[in-house]
Amino acid sequence: MASETFDTGLSAADIWGHGTKVGGAAVFGDLRDQIASGQLRKSVRLVSAKIITDDGQFYDRRTLPNLMRTVFRGLNERYGCRIFVLSLGDKKSWFERGRVGPWAMTLDELARELDVLVFVSAGNRSPRGGNVVEQGVTQYPQYLLEEANRIFEPSGAANVVTVGSLSHGSGLAAQHRDDAHVRAITAGPNEPSPFTRAGPGAGGITKPDFSDLGGTMLFSAVTRSLQSAPIVPEAGITTLNHDFVRQLFTSASGTSIATPLLARKAALLLQRFPEASANLVRALLAGAASFPDEMTTRLQAMDALETASVVGNGLVDPVKAVYSDDHRVIYFAEDQLDIDKFAIYRIPIPVEFQTGGKRTIRISLAYDPPVRRTRADYLGTKMDFRLIRGCPVDHISNFFRSHAGQESTHPDMPPRYDCDLKPSKTQRGGNTLQTGSITFTKDTLDYGNEYHLVVRCMGGWATDELRQRFAIVVELEHQIGVQLYARLRPRLRT
């Protein structure tokens, strides 16, 4: 553990208390389970950097970009920090659609320059107050899509990981379960938190990228107010308290808590793959994210774009991100591409995967393009991918080579070859973190024992000399009981 302050007028002590809550969630996760077991187990190393005043304010919002450069470069050089958590936001700086601010652009530049992971909270908003406070219950979750609930600086940045919040439960304490004066907003875990903000981000890209547990809210008819942690401890995540002499633990809620919980999962990934790039970790997280049943049920009235703007790619299962299973195999690669070039990757498809019921292929791509606020198109390059089946590789190569120079769109092969991945290519195409999957229920023997993944780098305003870094992750998942990993492991070694 280490701590630093980046203003000569500040001590390193956390007087405001927000940093201790965030740091506790990053090191221990939700402490509620660990406290019950009687043993605290930390899993990551934490360096605390104090950049706000003792009353939780920024000294000068205009100097934040330069401050970020000083903090990131300093901690990266002195401590080797590769994961940065910013559970902060500038409520005075709203995103105009398609635009980003200088703070967000600086984070994008630092993520690319230092090859680090930057996790930023999506921000919080109390949904209702005054005479309409009851609508916090009756109009949930529709108000999450309101214009006033959109993310603000710097959570719309393209190369960072923006994190929204999910409920961990109803938030009702034992004494509230039979109290008609207290109502829960969320019915249980994995539903969007009533306070979480929604995207999109820079240039309309999907934000947040993911969601994690960050607490919920309750409606009190007696006080006519929406209440959350720490007033109602059960409504939040258990973490460390800065005033530890008085009370060691506290409860907190917000996207500020969900963000370090996801960053902790990324840290576990880096422990498993210490040489992995930031792009690879982002792609592995995307490949392990899903929409829990509770989330899907609650958001069933929203379309795919609206759902993504609230919860992103969903909730990450860290075990799935790190390990293959008997019935689930993960391939990954890190690579670079010149502008207007493409790469073709062979994906082995064993006979066991061509039959036998429900099977899924999932592709995840992460890249870190150069950015520029002064350009109409914020991203200097764009990338995309297609999954092709039943087509000889030389035919695939000739087809995409013949479409070289078409920078605006990724060419599509005839539908009989092109796998129809979901989300659609239109929905995922502008993102620097993309994921798409296809599920088969019928036999696919006619398509042979290998598919091909085409990854293309499309030029924007970036120079021809640039080589764009990226990482690609491919997951093949069959039904439990099918020995897919044992079948594919020998082929992987060759």
Side-chain angles (χ1 to χ4, degrees):
M1 305 284 283
S3 62
E4 290 199 18
T5 179
F6 285 85
D7 188 279
T8 56
L10 290 177
S11 70
D14 182 19
I15 306 302
W16 182 247
H18 181 262
T20 302
K21 295 174 183 176
V22 173
V27 173
F28 296 105
D30 188 348
L31 276 164
R32 188 175 282 109
D33 294 336
Q34 295 204 39
I35 293 172
S37 70
Q39 183 179 9
L40 299 183
R41 299 177 301 277
K42 66 176 184 178
S43 55
V44 299
R45 178 190 179 203
L46 179 69
V47 179
S48 173
K50 187 172 182 178
I51 60 174
I52 58 175
T53 64
D54 289 343
D55 58 355
Q57 302 298 314
F58 299 118
Y59 275 107
D60 187 343
R61 294 166 52 238
R62 295 170 299 177
T63 64
L64 280 172
N66 289 333
L67 179 61
M68 290 297 102
R69 291 189 176 93
T70 301
V71 172
F72 277 53
R73 290 170 180 164
L75 297 185
N76 182 255
E77 291 173 2
R78 288 192 289 276
Y79 301 99
C81 293
R82 296 196 59 202
I83 297 177
F84 293 82
V85 177
L86 280 173
S87 287
L88 299 169
D90 187 355
K91 296 180 180 179
K92 298 180 180 180
S93 182
W94 291 73
F95 274 104
E96 300 178 20
R97 290 192 179 272
R99 304 286 295 178
V100 297
W103 187 3
M105 185 189 71
T106 300
L107 295 182
D108 280 337
E109 291 174 340
L110 288 167
R112 174 182 170 83
E113 172 193 336
L114 302 176
D115 188 24
V116 296
L117 290 150
V118 184
F119 290 84
V120 178
S121 55
N124 309 312
R125 175 204 177 210
S126 185
R128 293 292 184 270
N131 295 329
V132 295
V133 66
E134 295 94 340
Q135 293 179 359
V137 179
T138 60
Q139 294 190 6
Y140 171 83
Q142 286 77 16
Y143 52 69
L144 296 177
L145 298 174
E146 292 176 349
E147 186 70 15
N149 201 50
R150 294 192 58 236
I151 57 176
F152 43 69
E153 178 88 344
S155 52
N159 294 335
V160 311
V161 178
T162 305
V163 188
S165 179
L166 303 175
S167 64
H168 64 297
S170 68
L172 292 171
Q175 65 266 29
H176 293 148
R177 300 191 188 281
D178 298 320
D179 187 349
H181 298 96
V182 178
R183 292 185 60 186
I185 299 178
T186 55
N190 301 328
E191 298 180 359
S193 299
F195 48 75
T196 190
R197 287 183 175 269
I205 63 175
T206 299
K207 290 289 172 175
D209 297 277
F210 305 100
S211 297
D212 215 307
L213 302 182
T216 186
M217 304 180 84
L218 302 173
F219 169 67
S220 171
V222 176
T223 61
R224 288 190 54 78
S225 64
L226 297 176
Q227 299 180 349
S228 60
I231 296 174
V232 182
E234 289 80 5
I237 305 298
T238 303
T239 185
L240 297 180
N241 186 29
H242 72 292
D243 190 4
F244 55 87
V245 175
R246 180 180 61 86
Q247 180 179 324
L248 182 57
F249 303 115
T250 188
S251 180
S253 58
T255 59
S256 291
I257 301 300
T259 302
L261 290 183
L262 180 60
R264 183 171 180 265
K265 296 176 181 179
L268 297 177
L269 261 174
L270 278 178
Q271 290 175 9
R272 174 69 172 170
F273 306 110
E275 302 301 320
S277 67
N279 284 329
L280 178 55
V281 175
R282 290 166 64 209
L284 287 168
L285 291 173
S290 64
F291 293 166
D293 292 340
E294 303 93 336
M295 180 192 297
T296 301
T297 300
R298 178 60 78 173
L299 301 181
Q300 60 184 335
M302 297 184 184
D303 61 29
L305 286 174
E306 291 171 335
T307 298
S309 73
V310 174
V311 297
N313 292 301
L315 179 66
V316 174
D317 181 342
V319 176
K320 289 189 68 174
V322 174
Y323 299 103
S324 294
D325 298 311
D326 289 343
H327 67 289
R328 187 176 62 90
V329 175
I330 298 174
Y331 297 103
F332 63 83
E334 298 185 79
D335 211 337
Q336 297 182 17
L337 273 177
D338 292 326
I339 291 177
D340 200 26
K341 300 295 183 181
F342 63 91
I344 301 176
Y345 298 90
R346 182 179 62 88
I347 303 175
I349 306 293
V351 173
E352 292 86 345
F353 195 81
Q354 300 174 38
T355 61
K358 185 177 179 180
R359 299 97 63 203
T360 299
I361 301 177
R362 184 169 186 173
I363 314 293
S364 299
L365 166 72
Y367 69 105
D368 51 357
V371 297
R372 192 172 297 169
R373 291 181 64 232
T374 56
R375 295 278 186 168
D377 195 347
Y378 179 62
L379 305 182
T381 62
K382 291 187 178 181
M383 298 192 72
D384 205 345
F385 59 84
R386 296 289 187 269
L387 182 62
I388 309 299
R389 62 180 183 178
C391 186
V393 66
D394 56 344
H395 182 72
I396 298 172
S397 179
N398 291 335
F399 176 84
F400 283 94
R401 189 176 291 112
S402 68
H403 287 78
Q406 297 182 7
E407 300 176 351
S408 59
T409 60
H410 194 137
D412 291 318
M413 297 195 73
R416 67 180 182 275
Y417 300 134
D418 194 0
C419 292
D420 187 18
L421 301 175
K422 302 296 182 183
S424 69
K425 53 181 178 273
T426 301
Q427 182 178 340
R428 67 177 186 264
N431 302 326
T432 67
L433 179 62
Q434 305 174 24
T435 187
S437 64
I438 183 169
T439 297
F440 308 104
T441 55
K442 298 180 180 179
D443 291 354
T444 55
L445 293 165
D446 292 343
Y447 295 103
N449 60 2
E450 63 181 32
Y451 290 3
H452 293 91
L453 175 64
V454 180
V455 180
R456 184 186 178 208
C457 178
M458 294 162 282
W461 50 260
T463 62
D464 292 338
E465 291 78 18
L466 181 138
R467 287 181 61 83
Q468 178 61 60
R469 301 175 304 191
F470 68 94
I472 196 80
V473 173
V474 179
E475 178 193 70
L476 275 65
E477 184 174 14
H478 210 315
Q479 298 182 95
I480 295 177
V482 178
Q483 298 299 309
L484 193 62
Y485 183 81
R487 180 73 170 83
L488 286 172
R489 190 177 183 185
R491 298 182 65 173
L492 178 61
R493 287 177 172 173
T494 58

